[in-house]
Amino acid sequence: MKDNTDQIGRETVFDDELDLTDVDLSHHAGPAWIDAISEVGEAHGFAEPLGKRHHAIFVEDGDTLLVTFESMPGISAYSQTATPLGWEMQAIEGWSNLSVICSADTWFRDEEVIHFFDQLLDDGFFDEFEKVIFYGAGPCGYAAAAYSVAAPGARVVLLQPQATLDPRVAEWDDRFPEMRRVDFTSRFGYAPDMIDAAQAAYVLYDPQERMDAMHAALFERRNVTRFRLPYMGDALQGDLLEMDLIHPILDAAADDRLDTAEMARLLRARRTHPPYLRRLLSRLDAENRPLLAEWLCANVTARMNAPRFRRRLEALRAEAEGREI
Protein backbone atom coordinates (compact mmCIF):
# COMPACT_ATOMS: atom_id res chain seq x y z
CA MET A 1 0.00 0.00 0.00
CA LYS A 2 1.77 3.13 -1.20
CA ASP A 3 -0.67 5.63 0.28
CA ASN A 4 -3.99 5.64 2.05
CA THR A 5 -5.97 5.64 -1.20
CA ASP A 6 -4.35 2.63 -2.86
CA GLN A 7 -6.03 -0.75 -2.80
CA ILE A 8 -4.24 -3.43 -0.84
CA GLY A 9 -3.53 -6.25 -3.24
CA ARG A 10 -2.57 -9.82 -2.34
CA GLU A 11 -1.86 -12.99 -4.24
CA THR A 12 -3.13 -16.06 -2.42
CA VAL A 13 0.15 -17.94 -2.78
CA PHE A 14 1.40 -19.26 0.54
CA ASP A 15 5.11 -19.75 1.25
CA ASP A 16 5.65 -23.16 2.83
CA GLU A 17 9.29 -22.28 3.54
CA LEU A 18 8.66 -19.05 5.44
CA ASP A 19 9.97 -19.22 9.01
CA LEU A 20 10.19 -15.96 10.88
CA THR A 21 11.89 -17.53 13.90
CA ASP A 22 15.15 -17.03 12.01
CA VAL A 23 14.66 -13.25 12.13
CA ASP A 24 16.46 -11.43 14.96
CA LEU A 25 15.89 -7.69 15.25
CA SER A 26 17.21 -7.30 18.79
CA HIS A 27 20.29 -5.39 17.64
CA HIS A 28 18.08 -2.64 16.19
CA ALA A 29 16.28 0.13 18.06
CA GLY A 30 13.99 3.04 17.25
CA PRO A 31 13.85 4.05 13.57
CA ALA A 32 16.41 1.38 12.67
CA TRP A 33 14.11 -1.28 14.12
CA ILE A 34 11.18 0.09 12.11
CA ASP A 35 13.29 -0.02 8.95
CA ALA A 36 14.39 -3.60 9.65
CA ILE A 37 10.92 -4.97 10.41
CA SER A 38 9.51 -3.09 7.41
CA GLU A 39 12.00 -4.86 5.17
CA VAL A 40 10.65 -8.22 6.35
CA GLY A 41 7.10 -7.05 5.72
CA GLU A 42 7.90 -5.80 2.24
CA ALA A 43 9.61 -9.09 1.40
CA HIS A 44 6.70 -11.27 2.54
CA GLY A 45 3.62 -9.04 2.37
CA PHE A 46 3.59 -5.31 2.95
CA ALA A 47 4.75 -2.64 5.39
CA GLU A 48 2.79 0.56 5.87
CA PRO A 49 3.57 3.58 8.07
CA LEU A 50 0.41 4.89 9.71
CA GLY A 51 1.36 8.41 10.64
CA LYS A 52 4.24 9.09 13.00
CA ARG A 53 3.28 6.71 15.82
CA HIS A 54 2.07 3.51 14.15
CA HIS A 55 3.15 0.95 11.58
CA ALA A 56 1.42 -2.03 9.99
CA ILE A 57 3.50 -5.06 9.04
CA PHE A 58 1.79 -7.86 7.10
CA VAL A 59 3.44 -11.24 6.57
CA GLU A 60 1.54 -13.67 4.37
CA ASP A 61 1.59 -17.41 4.91
CA GLY A 62 -1.51 -19.54 5.57
CA ASP A 63 -5.23 -18.91 5.23
CA THR A 64 -5.64 -18.11 8.93
CA LEU A 65 -4.83 -14.49 9.77
CA LEU A 66 -3.75 -13.35 13.22
CA VAL A 67 -4.09 -9.60 13.72
CA THR A 68 -1.98 -8.50 16.67
CA PHE A 69 -1.81 -5.08 18.26
CA GLU A 70 1.50 -4.53 19.99
CA SER A 71 3.73 -1.74 21.25
CA MET A 72 7.42 -1.31 20.56
CA PRO A 73 8.26 -1.31 24.31
CA GLY A 74 6.20 -4.48 24.75
CA ILE A 75 7.92 -6.26 21.87
CA SER A 76 11.31 -5.26 23.28
CA ALA A 77 10.37 -6.51 26.75
CA TYR A 78 8.77 -9.82 25.85
CA SER A 79 10.63 -10.99 22.74
CA GLN A 80 14.28 -12.01 22.81
CA THR A 81 14.45 -11.41 19.06
CA ALA A 82 12.47 -8.13 19.22
CA THR A 83 9.83 -9.51 16.85
CA PRO A 84 6.02 -9.40 17.07
CA LEU A 85 4.13 -12.11 18.92
CA GLY A 86 2.31 -13.03 15.73
CA TRP A 87 5.54 -14.17 14.13
CA GLU A 88 5.79 -17.01 16.63
CA MET A 89 2.32 -18.16 15.57
CA GLN A 90 3.46 -18.00 11.94
CA ALA A 91 6.36 -20.30 12.74
CA ILE A 92 4.28 -22.73 14.82
CA GLU A 93 0.96 -22.75 12.98
CA GLY A 94 1.78 -21.29 9.58
CA TRP A 95 -0.62 -18.39 10.10
CA SER A 96 -0.44 -15.10 8.28
CA ASN A 97 0.07 -12.11 10.57
CA LEU A 98 -0.87 -8.46 10.47
CA SER A 99 1.01 -6.65 13.23
CA VAL A 100 -0.20 -3.14 14.03
CA ILE A 101 2.51 -1.56 16.14
CA CYS A 102 2.53 1.64 18.18
CA SER A 103 5.59 3.51 19.42
CA ALA A 104 3.99 3.94 22.88
CA ASP A 105 0.56 3.38 24.41
CA THR A 106 -1.79 5.27 22.08
CA TRP A 107 -4.88 3.02 22.17
CA PHE A 108 -4.49 3.21 18.35
CA ARG A 109 -6.87 6.17 18.12
CA ASP A 110 -4.87 8.12 15.52
CA GLU A 111 -6.74 9.03 12.36
CA GLU A 112 -4.24 7.17 10.19
CA VAL A 113 -5.00 3.88 11.97
CA ILE A 114 -8.74 4.39 11.62
CA HIS A 115 -8.31 5.16 7.91
CA PHE A 116 -6.11 2.07 7.48
CA PHE A 117 -8.80 -0.26 8.80
CA ASP A 118 -11.44 1.52 6.76
CA GLN A 119 -9.25 0.81 3.72
CA LEU A 120 -8.86 -2.86 4.65
CA LEU A 121 -12.62 -3.12 5.05
CA ASP A 122 -13.29 -1.45 1.70
CA ASP A 123 -10.77 -3.70 -0.06
CA GLY A 124 -12.20 -6.92 1.39
CA PHE A 125 -8.78 -7.76 2.80
CA PHE A 126 -10.11 -9.95 5.60
CA ASP A 127 -12.48 -11.82 3.26
CA GLU A 128 -9.51 -13.58 1.69
CA PHE A 129 -8.81 -15.59 4.84
CA GLU A 130 -10.66 -18.62 6.14
CA LYS A 131 -10.25 -17.51 9.77
CA VAL A 132 -9.29 -14.20 11.38
CA ILE A 133 -8.19 -13.81 15.00
CA PHE A 134 -7.65 -10.45 16.70
CA TYR A 135 -5.38 -10.29 19.76
CA GLY A 136 -4.16 -7.61 22.16
CA ALA A 137 -3.46 -6.86 25.81
CA GLY A 138 -4.31 -3.73 27.81
CA PRO A 139 -4.41 -0.71 25.47
CA CYS A 140 -3.68 -3.12 22.62
CA GLY A 141 -6.60 -5.25 23.83
CA TYR A 142 -8.85 -2.23 23.48
CA ALA A 143 -7.65 -1.83 19.88
CA ALA A 144 -8.06 -5.54 19.07
CA ALA A 145 -11.69 -5.37 20.17
CA ALA A 146 -12.39 -2.01 18.52
CA TYR A 147 -10.99 -2.86 15.10
CA SER A 148 -12.28 -6.44 15.00
CA VAL A 149 -15.54 -5.03 13.60
CA ALA A 150 -13.68 -4.71 10.29
CA ALA A 151 -13.68 -8.53 10.04
CA PRO A 152 -17.16 -9.89 10.90
CA GLY A 153 -16.97 -13.46 12.14
CA ALA A 154 -13.52 -13.01 13.64
CA ARG A 155 -12.40 -14.54 16.92
CA VAL A 156 -11.13 -11.98 19.43
CA VAL A 157 -8.78 -12.67 22.34
CA LEU A 158 -8.36 -9.82 24.83
CA LEU A 159 -6.16 -9.64 27.91
CA GLN A 160 -7.33 -7.10 30.52
CA PRO A 161 -8.64 -4.70 27.83
CA GLN A 162 -10.06 -1.25 28.40
CA ALA A 163 -13.56 -0.78 27.02
CA THR A 164 -13.11 2.96 26.53
CA LEU A 165 -11.37 5.87 28.20
CA ASP A 166 -14.16 8.30 27.46
CA PRO A 167 -14.55 10.07 30.84
CA ARG A 168 -18.32 10.14 30.39
CA VAL A 169 -18.30 6.33 30.57
CA ALA A 170 -15.14 5.42 32.48
CA GLU A 171 -14.55 8.38 34.75
CA TRP A 172 -13.72 5.90 37.51
CA ASP A 173 -10.52 4.85 35.70
CA ASP A 174 -7.93 7.39 36.78
CA ARG A 175 -4.87 5.51 35.51
CA PHE A 176 -4.50 7.35 32.20
CA PRO A 177 -5.31 11.04 32.71
CA GLU A 178 -3.36 11.97 29.56
CA MET A 179 -5.97 10.13 27.47
CA ARG A 180 -8.97 12.12 28.74
CA ARG A 181 -9.06 14.37 25.67
CA VAL A 182 -8.63 11.56 23.12
CA ASP A 183 -11.70 10.79 21.03
CA PHE A 184 -13.20 7.40 21.91
CA THR A 185 -16.58 8.12 20.31
CA SER A 186 -15.90 8.23 16.55
CA ARG A 187 -15.32 5.22 14.27
CA PHE A 188 -14.12 2.08 16.06
CA GLY A 189 -14.70 3.93 19.33
CA TYR A 190 -16.50 1.94 22.04
CA ALA A 191 -14.78 -1.45 22.09
CA PRO A 192 -17.63 -3.60 23.54
CA ASP A 193 -19.96 -2.53 20.73
CA MET A 194 -17.34 -3.36 18.11
CA ILE A 195 -17.29 -7.07 18.97
CA ASP A 196 -20.99 -7.61 18.26
CA ALA A 197 -20.17 -9.08 14.84
CA ALA A 198 -17.43 -11.39 16.13
CA GLN A 199 -17.83 -15.16 16.03
CA ALA A 200 -16.62 -15.19 19.62
CA ALA A 201 -14.67 -12.96 21.95
CA TYR A 202 -12.70 -13.96 25.04
CA VAL A 203 -11.79 -11.53 27.82
CA LEU A 204 -9.12 -12.62 30.31
CA TYR A 205 -8.59 -10.60 33.48
CA ASP A 206 -7.73 -10.79 37.15
CA PRO A 207 -10.85 -9.95 39.19
CA GLN A 208 -8.58 -8.75 42.01
CA GLU A 209 -7.45 -5.89 39.74
CA ARG A 210 -10.39 -3.56 40.28
CA MET A 211 -10.08 -1.36 37.18
CA ASP A 212 -9.50 -4.35 34.90
CA ALA A 213 -12.54 -6.09 36.35
CA MET A 214 -14.72 -3.02 35.84
CA HIS A 215 -13.70 -2.74 32.20
CA ALA A 216 -14.24 -6.48 31.72
CA ALA A 217 -17.80 -6.10 33.00
CA LEU A 218 -18.52 -3.67 30.16
CA PHE A 219 -17.74 -6.43 27.66
CA GLU A 220 -20.74 -8.51 28.73
CA ARG A 221 -22.24 -9.66 25.42
CA ARG A 222 -23.95 -12.77 24.01
CA ASN A 223 -20.78 -13.81 22.15
CA VAL A 224 -18.29 -13.00 24.92
CA THR A 225 -16.75 -15.44 27.37
CA ARG A 226 -15.01 -13.83 30.31
CA PHE A 227 -12.32 -15.80 32.09
CA ARG A 228 -11.45 -14.78 35.64
CA LEU A 229 -7.76 -15.37 36.43
CA PRO A 230 -7.42 -14.46 40.11
CA TYR A 231 -4.00 -13.65 41.55
CA MET A 232 -2.44 -13.29 38.10
CA GLY A 233 -1.86 -9.56 38.61
CA ASP A 234 -1.84 -6.54 36.34
CA ALA A 235 0.73 -7.81 33.79
CA LEU A 236 -1.24 -10.73 32.45
CA GLN A 237 0.44 -10.97 29.07
CA GLY A 238 3.90 -11.32 30.56
CA ASP A 239 2.84 -14.14 32.88
CA LEU A 240 1.00 -16.02 30.14
CA LEU A 241 4.03 -15.71 27.87
CA GLU A 242 6.29 -17.04 30.62
CA MET A 243 3.96 -20.04 31.00
CA ASP A 244 3.87 -20.56 27.20
CA LEU A 245 0.09 -20.18 27.20
CA ILE A 246 -0.48 -17.51 24.55
CA HIS A 247 0.00 -19.97 21.70
CA PRO A 248 -2.44 -22.64 23.02
CA ILE A 249 -5.00 -19.96 23.94
CA LEU A 250 -4.94 -18.49 20.44
CA ASP A 251 -4.99 -21.96 18.89
CA ALA A 252 -8.02 -22.96 20.97
CA ALA A 253 -9.79 -19.70 20.09
CA ALA A 254 -9.16 -20.28 16.39
CA ASP A 255 -10.73 -23.75 16.65
CA ASP A 256 -13.71 -22.55 18.74
CA ARG A 257 -12.80 -24.79 21.66
CA LEU A 258 -11.72 -22.16 24.18
CA ASP A 259 -14.33 -22.94 26.80
CA THR A 260 -14.21 -23.06 30.60
CA ALA A 261 -12.88 -26.62 30.69
CA GLU A 262 -10.11 -25.89 28.19
CA MET A 263 -9.06 -22.73 29.99
CA ALA A 264 -8.99 -24.58 33.31
CA ARG A 265 -6.79 -27.25 31.74
CA LEU A 266 -4.37 -24.66 30.36
CA LEU A 267 -4.22 -22.73 33.60
CA ARG A 268 -2.92 -25.74 35.48
CA ALA A 269 0.43 -24.30 34.39
CA ARG A 270 -0.02 -21.81 37.25
CA ARG A 271 0.80 -24.60 39.68
CA THR A 272 4.48 -24.33 38.70
CA HIS A 273 4.60 -20.59 38.04
CA PRO A 274 6.43 -18.94 40.97
CA PRO A 275 5.05 -15.37 40.49
CA TYR A 276 1.48 -16.66 40.69
CA LEU A 277 2.25 -18.85 43.71
CA ARG A 278 3.93 -15.92 45.50
CA ARG A 279 0.94 -13.66 44.87
CA LEU A 280 -1.39 -16.36 46.16
CA LEU A 281 0.67 -16.82 49.32
CA SER A 282 0.81 -13.05 49.89
CA ARG A 283 -2.97 -12.88 49.60
CA LEU A 284 -3.47 -15.68 52.11
CA ASP A 285 -1.07 -13.98 54.52
CA ALA A 286 -2.84 -10.64 54.06
CA GLU A 287 -6.18 -12.31 54.84
CA ASN A 288 -4.66 -14.02 57.90
CA ARG A 289 -5.48 -17.54 56.76
CA PRO A 290 -2.54 -19.51 58.19
CA LEU A 291 -3.99 -22.98 57.63
CA LEU A 292 -4.55 -22.41 53.92
CA ALA A 293 -1.12 -20.80 53.66
CA GLU A 294 0.42 -23.86 55.31
CA TRP A 295 -1.38 -26.19 52.90
CA LEU A 296 -0.19 -24.11 49.96
CA CYS A 297 3.42 -24.10 51.14
CA ALA A 298 3.33 -27.85 51.79
CA ASN A 299 1.94 -28.49 48.32
CA VAL A 300 4.50 -26.28 46.60
CA THR A 301 7.51 -27.64 48.48
CA ALA A 302 6.40 -31.21 47.75
CA ARG A 303 6.50 -30.49 44.02
CA MET A 304 9.17 -27.84 43.56
CA ASN A 305 12.45 -26.52 44.89
CA ALA A 306 11.03 -23.41 46.53
CA PRO A 307 13.16 -22.11 49.42
CA ARG A 308 10.83 -19.18 50.14
CA PHE A 309 7.85 -21.51 50.54
CA ARG A 310 9.90 -23.93 52.63
CA ARG A 311 10.90 -21.16 55.03
CA ARG A 312 7.34 -19.92 55.24
CA LEU A 313 6.08 -23.45 55.88
CA GLU A 314 8.52 -23.89 58.76
CA ALA A 315 7.45 -20.55 60.22
CA LEU A 316 3.75 -21.38 59.91
CA ARG A 317 4.22 -24.75 61.60
CA ALA A 318 6.25 -23.19 64.39
CA GLU A 319 3.51 -20.59 64.93
CA ALA A 320 0.90 -23.36 65.02
CA GLU A 321 2.88 -25.32 67.61
CA GLY A 322 3.25 -22.16 69.70
CA ARG A 323 -0.50 -21.67 69.75
CA GLU A 324 -1.06 -25.25 70.87
CA ILE A 325 1.23 -24.94 73.88
Side-chain angles (χ1 to χ4, degrees), residues 274-289:
Y276 164 77
L277 295 171
R278 288 194 295 267
R279 284 191 292 265
L280 181 55
L281 177 59
S282 295
R283 184 58 180 254
L284 293 175
D285 285 341
E287 294 179 352
N288 192 28
R289 306 177 75 176

Side-chain angles (χ1 to χ4, degrees), residues 15 17 25 27-28 36 49 55 89 100 154-155 236 253:
D15 184 357
E17 302 302 322
L25 305 180
H27 52 290
H28 296 292
H55 283 75
M89 297 304 296
V100 189
R155 285 77 171 171
L236 195 52

Side-chain angles (χ1 to χ4, degrees), residues 23-303:
V23 179
D24 187 349
L25 305 180
S26 60
H27 52 290
H28 296 292
W33 183 84
I34 291 295
D35 290 342
I37 196 172
S38 295
E39 288 181 9
V40 178
E42 290 166 355
H44 300 289
F46 67 75
E48 178 71 15
L50 308 176
K52 296 181 179 180
R53 305 197 297 173
H54 303 88
H55 283 75
I57 309 296
F58 171 63
V59 174
E60 182 176 20
D61 196 355
D63 57 5
T64 293
L65 173 66
L66 175 63
V67 184
T68 57
F69 291 81
E70 304 181 61
S71 70
M72 289 176 63
I75 291 172
S76 176
Y78 294 131
S79 172
Q80 293 183 350
T81 57
T83 54
L85 182 147
W87 289 15
E88 179 181 351
M89 297 304 296
Q90 179 279 321
I92 298 172
E93 299 290 345
W95 291 356
S96 297
N97 175 232
L98 173 61
S99 298
V100 189
I101 302 167
C102 58
S103 58
D105 286 338
T106 64
W107 282 259
F108 298 84
R109 292 304 302 161
D110 286 10
E111 188 64 31
E112 293 87 350
V113 180
I114 294 173
H115 192 107
F116 175 69
F117 276 92
D118 276 333
Q119 188 72 58
L120 295 178
L121 183 60
D122 291 343
D123 294 343
F125 175 79
F126 297 108
D127 296 336
E128 299 182 36
F129 295 93
E130 182 178 335
K131 293 181 181 179
V132 180
I133 303 101
F134 281 73
Y135 167 83
C140 298
Y142 160 82
Y147 291 106
S148 69
V149 71
R155 285 77 171 171
V156 187
V157 178
L158 311 171
L159 309 185
Q160 56 188 108
Q162 289 83 51
T164 179
L165 293 181
D166 182 350
R168 293 171 296 181
V169 178
E171 62 182 354
W172 35 264
D173 191 342
D174 57 1
R175 295 174 295 178
F176 316 106
E178 71 281 4
M179 298 299 294
R180 288 297 176 108
R181 296 185 178 181
V182 174
D183 177 18
F184 283 86
T185 61
S186 57
R187 285 189 58 73
F188 308 108
Y190 185 57
D193 284 349
M194 298 299 103
I195 59 176
D196 282 347
Q199 170 75 17
Y202 308 94
V203 177
L204 285 65
Y205 67 101
D206 182 344
Q208 307 293 337
E209 299 295 327
R210 183 168 175 266
M211 297 299 180
D212 290 344
M214 292 171 73
H215 279 286
L218 296 177
F219 282 89
E220 179 63 30
R221 294 291 190 277
R222 56 164 183 80
N223 57 343
V224 175
T225 303
R226 291 183 296 157
F227 294 110
R228 304 168 76 253
L229 278 62
Y231 312 114
M232 288 295 290
D234 61 356
L236 195 52
Q237 179 173 246
D239 280 286
L240 293 179
L241 283 170
E242 289 178 10
M243 291 186 287
D244 294 323
L245 289 183
I246 297 292
H247 164 222
I249 287 173
L250 290 173
D251 188 48
D255 293 340
D256 296 321
R257 52 182 176 80
L258 188 58
D259 55 16
T260 302
E262 178 66 8
M263 182 60 74
R265 185 187 70 80
L266 293 174
L267 288 177
R268 286 182 64 81
R270 292 180 299 181
R271 299 176 71 249
T272 56
H273 186 55
Y276 164 77
L277 295 171
R278 288 194 295 267
R279 284 191 292 265
L280 181 55
L281 177 59
S282 295
R283 184 58 180 254
L284 293 175
D285 285 341
E287 294 179 352
N288 192 28
R289 306 177 75 176
L291 183 57
L292 286 179
E294 180 180 342
W295 289 350
L296 172 64
C297 291
N299 179 275
V300 172
T301 54
R303 297 183 289 104

